[in-house]
Amino acid sequence: MSAPSFSGFGLGLRKPHYAEFLETDVPVDFVEVISENFMIDGGRPRDILHKVRERYPIALHGVSMSVGSAHGLDRAYLSRLRALVDEIEPLFVSDHLSWSRTPAFNSHDLLPIPYTLEALDIVCVNISEAQDALGRTMLIENPSSYISFAQSEMTEWDFLHAVSDRTGCDLLLDVNNIYVSAVNHGFDPFAYTAGMPMDRVRQIHLAGHSQGETLLIDTHDKPVPAPVWSLFAHVMERAGPVAVMIERDDDIPPLADLMAELDMARALLPEKAAA
Amino acid sequence: MSLLALQSDFREWLTTGSDDVAARFEPEAQAGLLVYQNNYRASLMACLEESFPQTLAWIGNQPFRSVAATLIDARPPDSWSLDHYAAHLPAALSACFPDDPEVAELAVLEQALTDAFVGPDAAALASGQLASIDWDIAMLRLVPTARLLTVFTNAAAIWSALSSDREPPSPETLAVPAILLVWRAGHTSCFRVLDAVEDQLVRDMLEGIAFADVCTRLVEAFGEADGIKTAGTWLARWAAEGLLDRFHLAQSMSPHPKLPMDSRGNGAPSNS
């Protein structure tokens, strides 16, 4: 069963904007929160989450599931996430095609996996376990990466296609991540989007990045840059109903700035979708 | 290379930065490895800095980052929650500042306040609800975020000054260790110092104690008249501070309470 079809524009809920989301009518169709920030016992963060939930659909976006872990998933983590899912009844539950944990270790970073048949088996087993534990279809997000592995046997987009086919999961397409990885690894971002099963894409992230010494770094601390907008416009030509959002995690600007970026996204909607 | 072996090598690289481990990856991967290691260390450093703002202000940026770096080298995170990682810092500070015990105690207090901030919710008994309780049978229990800390220095006074932008006092060792009660009232983490009698009562109130037994203890400590008066005063204070778990008292609520409290919150149960 697929995640629900939803068409709209949203923002990530960040602390500097809590008051505006609680006290004003922010014109968004949904908000996304980082799941782990609310996998706590109680207090103000959870109270805010509940109050925002009363006003907007919420997408839960995780960073610690580690679906690429060869050691499997952390069942205590899954159980805690399930409790939050049951409580919030989110629009989507998503996490990344990456790994972060081995026994007694968690990197707190989205680490890359080689796109091998062995890794495909492991990722599919983990995603299936997660979907069973959560009782719902997940969205898996393409990562940005700074390393590619010579042992990879397929492209990232073919890998994600196979993951979606085998597990039934849907996809969260991060357009900035495609661009960052394309520049870092020298592939064509348009070939990436052409290879993606767009009918499985339920959500889109738009973000900015920074130029590192030799690599683009996925910093989410700048406005969406022109090449990412171009790629987004191309993606939207092929996308079905989808939830589009600006993902800003650092140097967070006034809400009005993010709303202006969201208006840019709306303006790039193809005429058929806008109508 | 299997995924298991690759992830083992990757972990070793992140936690050691060893050239030997880096050499197990392809030459083209070296720049990317540095990005991942920087991300790993930066996220842990940021977590510690954000979790202990007053401790950082007390010892200064450079010493704080030095201790944090030592911790990151010595103890990789093992939980999905970065909040859990912060709990290791007080011990690291204690090891690095053996002659300045207020530093680690400051961090312990900050950690306790953070724990309370995200601790379990509970409905606290409001002052206006005191009169609805049948105090003959009432059991007092503290809200679930309540916990006790013992401090041997004036770390609490230092924290209070730093958090309100006042000049902090010089560090000193207390003549008698202080007991701090930490809890969350509404959405705000709080603490205050307890005296010896209240300390003993609070220890029992963490588990649950009959109000009648509280009165007995206070009469033993202060005598008949002052003990009863103190029971009323403290009960009113605990309610005003959001310390009493209302759920636990719900069974004692009565539409016709036998022991109405003074409406000003200063009275004592009439027949205790």
Side-chain angles (χ1 to χ4, degrees):
Chain A
M1 194 173 83
S2 284
S5 176
F6 182 90
S7 185
F9 292 84
L11 289 175
L13 180 68
R14 303 293 181 259
K15 278 183 192 172
H17 305 144
Y18 278 177
E20 285 162 287
F21 273 99
L22 291 173
E23 296 162 13
T24 68
D25 189 15
V26 180
V28 294
D29 302 306
F30 73 102
V31 297
E32 183 190 86
V33 301
I34 303 300
S35 309
E36 289 80 2
N37 290 347
F38 299 92
M39 289 162 65
I40 51 179
D41 290 331
R44 182 168 182 263
R46 282 176 70 95
D47 186 53
I48 287 171
L49 181 65
H50 281 279
K51 286 176 175 158
V52 172
R53 177 67 185 91
E54 289 170 9
R55 308 182 67 175
Y56 305 93
I58 285 182
L60 291 179
H61 185 50
V63 294
S64 295
M65 188 176 284
S66 192
V67 301
S69 174
H71 291 274
L73 302 181
D74 178 341
R75 289 180 181 163
Y77 171 90
L78 284 179
S79 171
R80 192 122 193 178
L81 179 58
R82 173 65 190 253
L84 184 64
V85 167
D86 289 346
E87 201 176 307
I88 298 301
E89 298 181 345
L91 180 60
F92 302 125
V93 179
S94 61
D95 210 303
H96 302 78
L97 179 64
S98 63
W99 70 281
S100 55
R101 66 179 289 271
T102 64
F105 175 72
N106 197 307
S107 68
H108 296 284
D109 193 15
L110 304 170
L111 303 176
I113 56 174
Y115 299 126
T116 61
L117 294 171
E118 182 214 8
L120 180 62
D121 288 341
I122 289 168
V123 166
C124 288
V125 166
N126 288 342
I127 291 175
S128 295
E129 181 186 345
Q131 293 186 137
D132 288 346
L134 299 176
R136 59 160 54 218
T137 302
M138 285 188 65
L139 272 55
I140 298 297
E141 178 180 348
N142 59 298
S144 56
S145 64
Y146 314 111
I147 288 178
S148 58
F149 298 94
Q151 68 190 98
S152 287
E153 298 166 284
M154 63 191 94
T155 61
E156 184 173 293
W157 54 93
D158 285 340
F159 193 94
L160 276 165
H161 203 146
V163 166
S164 181
D165 283 348
R166 282 173 54 173
T167 67
C169 76
D170 288 315
L171 300 171
L172 192 171
L173 195 66
D174 188 314
V175 181
N176 177 61
N177 286 353
I178 295 175
Y179 182 77
V180 166
S181 294
V183 171
N184 288 345
H185 307 311
F187 63 74
D188 176 6
F190 294 95
Y192 191 116
T193 59
M196 287 292 281
M198 294 303 293
D199 59 323
R200 305 308 295 261
V201 175
R202 293 284 176 274
Q203 191 180 347
I204 287 178
H205 277 172
L206 291 164
H209 53 260
S210 299
Q211 177 64 59
E213 199 171 321
T214 58
L215 298 166
L216 289 188
I217 311 295
D218 180 30
T219 45
H220 293 190
D221 61 351
K222 291 184 171 57
V224 179
V228 175
W229 283 124
S230 298
L231 191 55
F232 169 68
H234 177 75
V235 165
M236 291 307 290
E237 293 286 345
R238 295 182 52 229
V242 69
V244 177
M245 61 166 278
I246 307 293
E247 192 182 34
R248 188 68 174 258
D249 294 317
D250 218 341
D251 288 340
I252 295 173
L255 189 61
D257 292 10
L258 297 179
M259 293 306 301
E261 281 195 285
L262 211 50
D263 285 342
M264 289 180 66
R266 287 188 179 100
L268 288 171
L269 222 59
E271 284 182 15
K272 63 176 174 62
Chain B
M1 180 188 285
S2 71
L3 189 60
L4 202 65
L6 185 149
Q7 292 180 347
S8 176
D9 283 351
F10 218 114
R11 173 198 166 150
E12 199 176 345
W13 159 252
L14 292 176
T15 54
T16 67
S18 154
D19 290 343
D20 289 344
V21 180
R24 294 176 203 162
F25 293 83
E26 297 141 27
E28 298 76 18
Q30 299 305 309
L33 284 177
L34 290 172
V35 172
Y36 285 113
Q37 198 191 48
N38 181 65
N39 287 352
Y40 167 72
R41 297 185 70 87
S43 68
L44 297 179
M45 185 65 76
C47 155
L48 296 172
E49 289 177 344
E50 288 164 15
S51 300
F52 299 96
Q54 309 310 343
T55 308
L56 191 158
W58 178 246
I59 64 175
N61 193 51
Q62 205 50 46
F64 185 94
R65 291 180 70 87
S66 174
V67 176
T70 302
L71 174 62
I72 292 167
D73 287 338
R75 180 150 202 166
D78 58 6
S79 163
W80 58 266
S81 170
L82 271 172
D83 290 344
H84 299 164
Y85 192 65
H88 298 303
L89 188 74
L93 289 165
S94 184
C96 292
F97 292 92
D99 299 326
D100 304 294
E102 86 285 356
V103 176
E105 289 192 345
L106 196 53
V108 167
L109 176 56
E110 284 203 273
Q111 182 66 39
L113 291 167
T114 299
D115 290 344
F117 185 71
V118 295
D121 293 326
L125 186 78
S127 298
Q129 295 172 308
L130 285 169
S132 64
I133 304 296
D134 181 346
W135 294 102
D136 271 348
I137 59 170
M139 293 286 292
L140 297 186
R141 187 166 183 163
L142 298 187
V143 290
T145 53
R147 60 176 287 200
L148 293 171
L149 298 179
T150 303
V151 292
F152 297 85
T153 71
N154 61 338
I158 294 170
W159 186 93
S160 296
L162 290 170
S163 63
S164 54
D165 291 326
R166 288 184 283 110
E167 184 67 23
S170 298
E172 61 183 39
T173 300
L174 302 175
V176 179
I179 306 299
L180 305 181
L181 173 61
V182 180
W183 77 103
R184 189 181 75 236
H187 289 155
T188 306
S189 295
C190 320
F191 74 87
R192 67 176 169 86
V193 179
L194 304 183
D195 67 23
V197 176
E198 193 177 13
D199 169 28
Q200 287 306 312
L201 283 177
V202 162
R203 287 177 195 279
D204 288 327
M205 287 163 65
L206 289 169
E207 302 299 323
I209 179 175
F211 180 66
D213 291 338
V214 170
C215 293
T216 302
R217 298 269 201 87
L218 290 172
V219 166
E220 287 170 2
F222 299 118
E224 180 76 21
D226 286 348
I228 296 300
K229 184 178 176 186
T230 302
T233 303
W234 285 10
L235 185 62
R237 180 178 187 178
W238 294 330
E241 291 176 328
L243 270 166
L244 300 176
D245 188 332
R246 192 172 73 203
F247 176 78
H248 206 72
L249 279 162
Q251 297 168 0
S252 318
M253 285 189 175
S254 160
H256 305 292
K258 296 176 183 175
L259 306 169
M261 298 294 296
D262 184 312
S263 60
R264 293 164 298 171
N266 294 322
S270 59
N271 63 346
S272 292

